[in-house]
Amino acid sequence: MSVQERKERERADRERLIVATARELAEGQGWDAVTTRRLAERIEYSQPVLYSHFRGKREIIGAVALEGAAEMAVALRAAASAADGPRARVTALARAYLDFAARNPAVYDAMFQLDGGLAFAHEDTPAPLKDAFAALLETLGEVAGKGVHTGLFTELFWASLHGLATLTRSGRLPPEETERRTQLLVDRLPVL
């Protein structure tokens, strides 16, 4: 291994450490606790080293969002592929989405609530965000109905899931009814 390859590997390792530490802090104490000073202390590097990877908290949030989107895509595909039949796949997809949001609130916030400097629904949208949407589209496209624009249908279903996730988390919807809400949403799909 060349010196350059070693330096690139070490840089990538430091970047993963920064993102993992930011996630840990945010999940444990909220995003307000994630500061460059605190991150530098936790990872035992100076703030200038941290700034050599990320220009600030916004970029760190963006990196966490991209990592979360990749994880969400894997979870959605795994859940859908384990189910038999279109309706069961949509139900599994919805449960996996809501479960991901509930288990990873800070990551979910980085993905959809906070400014991570990422473009959504644009040509320059980062690949992990496009892939997370594609994971929804793959299953929801099966049930959109004849003549229905599958992308718009997926956006609408996603918006419903996002609303359920955020309203439940904020205490505006009782969590004990999550399963019934999920089933009601799926049951309103066209007959399959």
Side-chain angles (χ1 to χ4, degrees):
M1 174 183 307
S2 73
V3 171
Q4 182 63 29
E5 289 171 329
R6 182 182 52 78
K7 285 183 178 183
E8 287 174 11
R9 188 186 74 226
E10 289 171 355
R11 180 173 176 75
D13 289 344
R14 268 194 315 271
E15 193 164 300
R16 280 191 294 276
L17 178 61
I18 293 166
V19 172
T21 303
R23 282 182 72 159
E24 179 185 315
L25 271 171
E27 291 295 358
Q29 301 173 33
W31 278 104
D32 288 341
V34 180
T35 64
T36 54
R37 181 174 171 248
R38 184 177 260 175
L39 282 173
E41 289 171 1
R42 285 269 178 113
I43 65 171
E44 298 180 344
Y45 283 98
S46 67
Q47 282 184 287
V49 169
L50 193 139
Y51 281 116
S52 74
H53 291 272
F54 299 99
R55 287 183 289 204
K57 184 175 177 176
R58 181 179 188 221
E59 284 189 5
I60 294 168
I61 289 169
V64 169
L66 293 177
E67 192 174 87
E71 292 169 9
M72 178 182 270
V74 168
L76 295 177
R77 285 189 176 105
S81 69
D84 188 30
R87 188 172 300 278
R89 281 191 286 280
V90 173
T91 301
L93 175 100
R95 287 177 181 146
Y97 184 99
L98 295 171
D99 183 57
F100 181 90
R103 284 185 300 106
N104 305 282
V107 173
Y108 192 81
D109 284 349
M111 292 168 65
F112 301 120
Q113 303 289 92
L114 302 173
D115 179 9
L118 304 173
F120 280 80
H122 288 95
E123 193 173 297
D124 61 342
T125 297
L129 297 179
K130 287 180 180 179
D131 190 49
F133 185 78
L136 291 167
L137 184 66
E138 290 160 10
T139 297
L140 294 167
E142 290 183 72
V143 299
K146 190 172 183 152
V148 175
H149 186 284
T150 57
L152 294 176
F153 178 79
T154 300
E155 289 173 352
L156 184 59
F157 198 89
W158 172 29
S160 297
L161 292 175
H162 177 70
L164 289 172
T166 56
L167 291 170
T168 301
R169 186 166 138 213
S170 68
R172 287 165 176 81
L173 293 176
E176 62 272 9
E177 295 294 338
T178 297
E179 181 59 30
R180 286 182 56 198
R181 284 187 204 94
T182 303
Q183 202 56 56
L184 183 61
L185 179 62
V186 172
D187 288 346
R188 296 300 153 240
L189 295 174
V191 175
L192 304 174

